[in-house]
Amino acid sequence: MAWTRTYDGAEPVRINKWLGQSGVCSRREADALIADGLVSIDGEVVRDAGRKLETGQTLTLSDKATAQLAEGITVVIHKPVGYVSGQPEPDKLPAIRLLSAGNLIGPGEVPGDISLPPIGRLDEDSRGLLLLSSDGVVAKAVIGPESDLDKEYLVRVAGDITEKKLKILRHGLMLDGRQLRPAYVSRMESHRLKFILREGRNRQIRRMCEMVELEVVDLIRVRIGPLKLDNLPEGKWRMLTAEEREALVGS
């Protein structure tokens, strides 16, 4: 099934860069798909690897392209604080560094020379469930434009939690000039909240809390759709099972 998304960024961006940032595939894989004539913009096949995507244009990966990307692999990581999920600056540690034999839990082996972009972001100062994948079908299911998978977070905050603040967090907030989708927010303990979101704006939970004078002290993602962090130790990783992939793709 073809993968389609309309670009809504403010500035033109190279196709391979945008696909990499979106978690669909690596830049190198994007270049290969373009070379094979499997990428189109507004219905026109792209032949130039340096082509930029303009605001409002729709990019499509053909059925063959998505089938090729589906042959990839997906790993599940319990990311600690201090690691970044995507491409790091020179002084930052990428989460992919955790993929060593000593950190592997269960069957599998360390991926060889293969690009594993993150499927969705998880900030450097946050921890918990993170997916790295070269499987374009999984990427589409988790962060694609038609994805409706929710993500669950446990958040410890400093500040006075009131019912008024909880009501505001659930409804009525705007970020970057755009209305947020309603969120499920509940109080678990005196200073611990549960957030369930169906979107993933940049540092969304931290910024939401700041708007109601709450400071996030700790944030852990424990679930992405049907996939749970469960008892995977911090800093460890494992392979996504075939059953889990089916559940993600079929959700």
Side-chain angles (χ1 to χ4, degrees), residues 27-221:
R27 296 189 186 189
R28 182 165 51 186
E29 288 170 328
D31 289 340
L33 294 176
I34 291 172
D36 290 340
L38 304 180
V39 180
S40 61
I41 294 178
D42 291 343
E44 178 186 352
V45 175
V46 177
R47 299 294 184 182
D48 179 10
R51 174 79 175 269
K52 289 189 175 182
L53 197 58
E54 305 278 347
T55 303
Q57 290 185 324
T58 298
L59 183 142
T60 300
L61 302 182
S62 68
D63 291 347
K64 184 177 179 180
T66 56
Q68 288 182 9
L69 294 176
E71 296 174 356
I73 65 171
T74 302
V75 301
V76 181
I77 298 179
H78 184 162
K79 186 190 86 67
V81 170
Y83 287 80
V84 295
S85 55
Q87 292 295 324
E89 298 175 7
D91 60 338
K92 302 295 184 180
L93 284 171
I96 199 168
R97 291 269 190 90
L98 295 166
L99 302 188
S100 67
N103 288 335
L104 174 61
I105 301 295
E109 59 183 28
V110 178
D113 184 20
I114 183 173
S115 176
L116 290 174
I119 306 302
R121 63 170 62 91
L122 189 60
D123 299 325
E124 180 181 5
D125 44 3
S126 300
R127 58 194 180 96
L129 182 59
L130 175 67
L131 298 179
L132 302 181
S133 180
S134 60
D135 185 334
V137 176
V138 169
K140 178 182 178 182
V142 176
I143 61 173
E146 297 179 1
S147 174
D148 201 37
L149 291 182
D150 58 6
K151 287 85 173 177
E152 182 177 337
Y153 304 80
L154 303 181
V155 183
R156 190 172 297 278
V157 299
D160 184 23
I161 301 174
T162 65
E163 284 302 316
K164 180 179 179 180
K165 290 181 179 180
L166 291 176
K167 184 176 180 180
I168 294 173
L169 288 172
R170 293 170 186 142
H171 305 279
L173 284 176
M174 294 186 68
L175 286 181
D176 305 321
R178 293 168 56 193
Q179 186 77 33
L180 291 175
R181 298 176 67 177
Y184 174 89
V185 185
S186 64
R187 187 170 184 167
M188 300 180 65
E189 301 167 3
S190 58
H191 286 87
R192 199 178 191 201
L193 302 174
K194 176 193 291 186
F195 280 73
I196 298 179
L197 306 179
R198 292 187 180 273
E199 59 189 330
R201 306 276 190 89
N202 185 32
R203 299 179 66 82
Q204 179 173 337
I205 292 177
R206 295 178 187 276
R207 295 167 68 194
M208 289 172 67
C209 288
E210 287 174 1
M211 295 175 82
V212 294
E213 300 182 336
L214 295 175
E215 178 187 0
V216 173
V217 178
D218 181 54
L219 187 156
I220 179 171
R221 181 161 63 199

